[in-house]
Every structure is written in C-alpha cells, then in structure tokens.
Amino acid sequence: MGSNRYGRLGIGEIGGSAEGSFLSQNLPKKIFDGGIVSIAASSTAGYLLGEDGSLWAFGSKEYGQLGEHKVSDRHFPVRIVESDVVEISAFESHVVFVKNDGSLWGMGRNHRGQLGNNLHQEISYPIQIFTSNVKSAKVGTEHTLVLKQDGSLITFGSNVSGQLATGRTIWTEKSII
C-alpha cells in the first residue's frame, strides 16, 4: 500500500494491462500467494527473494536497478535471477545480492562506484562484484558495505559524509576496514 509511482508496489497484472496499476493504494494489496522469504525496497523499486532463491524486481528502471534492459518501468514483479540468491539489499537506485556460493552481485546506479567497479556508469543487468567469501552486504545512499566470511569489512562508493569509515571525506573510494 502507499504511493505506487513507477509501479513500485508491484500490484500490476502479470502479463496483463498496466491500466490502473500505477495508482496509489490505501489498503494492502497481495502481490504473491506465498513463497517469499525476504524483501528489500528502495524509494523507486521493490525486490522479492523467493524460497527457491529467485530474485524478483518491480518499479522504476531509470538507473537499471531492475536488472533488465527493459525500456519502461515494471508494474508487476519480474524474475531477474532464477535461483541461488540468499540475501538482498536495496536503497534509492542500486541493489546488491549475495548468492549461496558467497558471490556478490549488483545492478543500478553506479556514478559513485557503489557497485564496486571503476565503470562509474549505470548497470542494467546483474554484474558480479565478488566471486566468493561474502557473508552479507548492505547498501546506503551511494555506497555499499560488504562483510566477508573472515570478518573483514569492505566499503565502496561515495564517502562524502564519511560513511565508508576511512577517516576521509571524498566522493568515491574503496577501502578494507
């Protein structure tokens, strides 16, 4: 329920008409009958983790955060990853997810390096950030925090407010804490 701008509530008809599916809702609407084990939401999109490890997304595609090359926003959940996802984290315009092999993947806005590479451009499909040993990952406004299996913390993205805990405040940085 709430604002459905960009279709971020995911209540449109799957494979059906978009008519009326961008209207705000003041009562709860069911998206799935079951099988969802975790959720994440940004200001423009929503993400669902299925019990089978599938990752679903809906809402704004403006920065590629839905993980597909679709031209328009999605007003219903679309499967982005078939299986093996165990954790998702989203904020504003980028999302990261951990797979059961310990790999870390991400997509969306990347202008501050928040997807952990030096491309500094939007990524509209899932890219691998780490191949293994990731325990958990969380995203903030324009940054990402990665907890590795050995207990080390890796941070990357914007550090303009010191959110990467490096002792400096610069636009883009990657560090190991």
Side-chain angles (χ1 to χ4, degrees):
M1 63 191 139
S3 171
N4 197 27
R5 188 173 182 195
Y6 315 112
R8 63 182 162 209
L9 294 180
I11 58 174
E13 296 293 324
I14 294 178
S17 168
E19 185 178 332
S21 59
F22 291 103
L23 300 174
S24 294
Q25 302 293 314
N26 60 2
L27 295 173
K29 296 281 188 176
K30 186 188 309 186
I31 300 172
F32 272 79
D33 285 327
I36 302 302
V37 296
S38 185
I39 58 172
S42 71
S43 58
T44 62
Y47 303 90
L48 308 172
L49 176 58
E51 60 189 12
D52 60 357
S54 60
L55 176 61
W56 300 73
F58 49 89
S60 173
K61 56 78 195 152
E62 182 177 5
Y63 299 107
Q65 66 266 40
L66 297 186
E68 63 173 1
H69 298 287
K70 179 107 173 72
V71 176
S72 62
D73 297 340
R74 289 295 199 169
H75 59 275
F76 56 87
V78 175
R79 187 185 341 242
I80 302 304
V81 179
E82 294 293 322
S83 62
D84 300 326
V85 177
V86 295
E87 180 185 271
I88 51 178
S89 180
F91 193 88
E92 286 190 3
S93 55
H94 78 290
V95 61
V96 297
F97 57 93
V98 179
K99 287 188 154 190
N100 60 14
D101 63 1
S103 62
L104 178 67
W105 298 74
M107 55 204 171
R109 195 161 192 193
N110 191 35
H111 69 298
R112 301 281 185 241
Q114 59 263 50
L115 293 179
N117 59 33
N118 292 320
L119 297 177
H120 297 275
Q121 65 187 29
E122 297 162 6
I123 305 293
S124 62
Y125 54 89
I127 62 163
Q128 192 171 49
I129 300 169
F130 289 103
T131 58
S132 62
N133 300 317
V134 173
K135 183 175 183 178
S136 183
K138 303 296 180 202
V139 298
T141 305
E142 295 176 329
H143 65 286
T144 302
L145 309 170
V146 180
L147 179 61
K148 300 288 281 200
Q149 293 288 345
D150 66 4
S152 62
L153 179 66
I154 297 174
T155 62
F156 42 88
S158 174
N159 195 32
V160 72
S161 298
Q163 62 266 46
L164 300 184
T166 63
R168 301 182 303 207
T169 56
I170 60 175
W171 278 105
T172 302
E173 189 168 26
K174 188 170 187 176
S175 67
I176 300 173
I177 299 172

